[in-house]
Amino acid sequence: GAGVSQTPSNKVTEKGKYVELRCDPISGHTALYWYRQSLGQGPEFLIYFQGTGAADDSGLPNDRFFAVRPEGSVSTLKIQRTERGDSAVYLCASSLFGVGGGNEQFFGPGTRLTVL
Amino acid sequence: GESVGLHLPTLSVQEGDNSIINCAYSNSASDYFIWYKQESGKGPQFIIDIRSNMDKRQGQRVTVLLNKTVKHLSLQIAATQPGDSAVYFCAENYGPDGGTSYGKLTFGQGTILTVHP
């Protein structure tokens, strides 16, 4: 079956521009997560959705970052006024359930964002 | 803040050997731990998990050991194969304010495993 997909796979932008990164979770998965991974580091949690609502956005680094999941399926991570320090691989994951943990998170291949 | 860390950043083994990858965690409230494998250009792939009420769990060629006394986690890979070469991450899961966890994962830095034929 289809796994988690992310588009685009690569995004190159200029400092100060706005970008949107898309995540298509596995069908039926209620929980969706965004992580950011810098070179040589483990993924870093950004935000967690349960259904349409952001249950935990404590990992978003500042107010330039925002994410939505309006219909409880596809999610978009939006970054305003991009900075060079935003360059990283942005990973999306989904799981069948969220609350209670212990539910395997399936990761997408990531979007590599490069801010020039 | 509290975090998950790894003792060894790189590990090189010969094909057929057993591999052991270690991880130290510092959050005593963590109740769920997962090992992920990440190949170049791909997202992390689930290997095996373990809950805090267990100290050992076995999968196919892999075993995870949890020692809560010293807050240590290890991944053992039996008969390591070249296809096992990747970066391995441990991750811990705990809920906000020590409450019910919901899958927010905190990852360690990772260990690079290289298997030589």
Side-chain angles (χ1 to χ4, degrees):
Chain A
V4 177
S5 62
Q6 293 186 245
T7 54
S9 56
N10 281 284
K11 177 69 177 179
V12 180
T13 190
E14 294 180 342
K15 180 177 179 294
K17 299 292 187 181
Y18 168 82
V19 296
E20 289 189 352
L21 311 179
R22 176 187 168 107
C23 172
D24 284 79
I26 294 173
S27 179
H29 280 196
T30 65
L32 184 145
Y33 313 82
W34 284 99
Y35 294 84
R36 178 169 70 175
Q37 186 173 26
S38 299
L39 189 63
Q41 302 294 319
E44 176 188 21
F45 172 82
L46 295 177
I47 186 169
Y48 153 65
F49 286 91
Q50 182 61 49
T52 61
D56 184 349
D57 64 357
S58 62
L60 295 178
N62 51 60
D63 61 5
R64 295 187 298 105
F65 290 74
F66 188 71
V68 295
R69 195 186 185 201
E71 298 179 357
S73 179
V74 172
S75 177
T76 304
L77 178 65
K78 307 180 181 189
I79 310 175
Q80 298 177 322
R81 305 183 303 280
T82 52
E83 300 178 356
R84 293 190 179 89
D86 298 335
S87 296
V89 174
Y90 289 81
L91 294 164
C92 177
S94 70
S95 64
L96 187 58
F97 301 111
V99 175
N103 292 293
E104 181 179 346
Q105 292 186 26
F106 295 84
F107 281 81
T111 293
R112 181 175 298 278
L113 174 66
T114 303
V115 181
L116 301 177
Chain B
E2 300 187 76
S3 62
V4 174
L6 292 170
H7 294 301
L8 299 174
T10 62
L11 177 64
S12 292
V13 301
Q14 291 296 127
E15 182 178 2
D17 287 352
N18 295 332
S19 301
I20 300 176
I21 300 172
N22 296 300
C23 174
Y25 68 94
S26 57
N27 191 333
S28 58
S30 294
D31 61 1
Y32 177 57
F33 304 87
I34 313 99
W35 280 101
Y36 282 93
K37 172 187 180 183
Q38 188 173 27
E39 297 173 291
S40 181
K42 297 183 179 180
Q45 177 186 1
F46 176 94
I47 301 174
I48 192 168
D49 59 0
I50 188 169
R51 287 198 170 276
S52 59
N53 61 354
M54 302 171 67
D55 55 18
K56 180 179 180 179
R57 190 163 188 225
Q58 289 184 293
Q60 186 177 12
R61 287 201 303 119
V62 294
T63 300
V64 56
L65 299 178
L66 175 62
N67 186 331
K68 294 184 290 294
T69 301
V70 296
K71 297 177 185 173
H72 186 266
L73 192 69
S74 69
L75 176 70
Q76 300 178 0
I77 305 174
T80 316
Q81 303 168 0
D84 295 327
S85 295
V87 179
Y88 288 80
F89 294 97
C90 64
E92 63 178 319
N93 178 209
Y94 54 91
D97 302 320
T100 302
S101 60
Y102 53 77
K104 171 183 175 179
L105 299 177
T106 299
F107 284 80
Q109 185 178 12
T111 292
I112 301 171
L113 175 64
T114 303
V115 182
H116 301 284

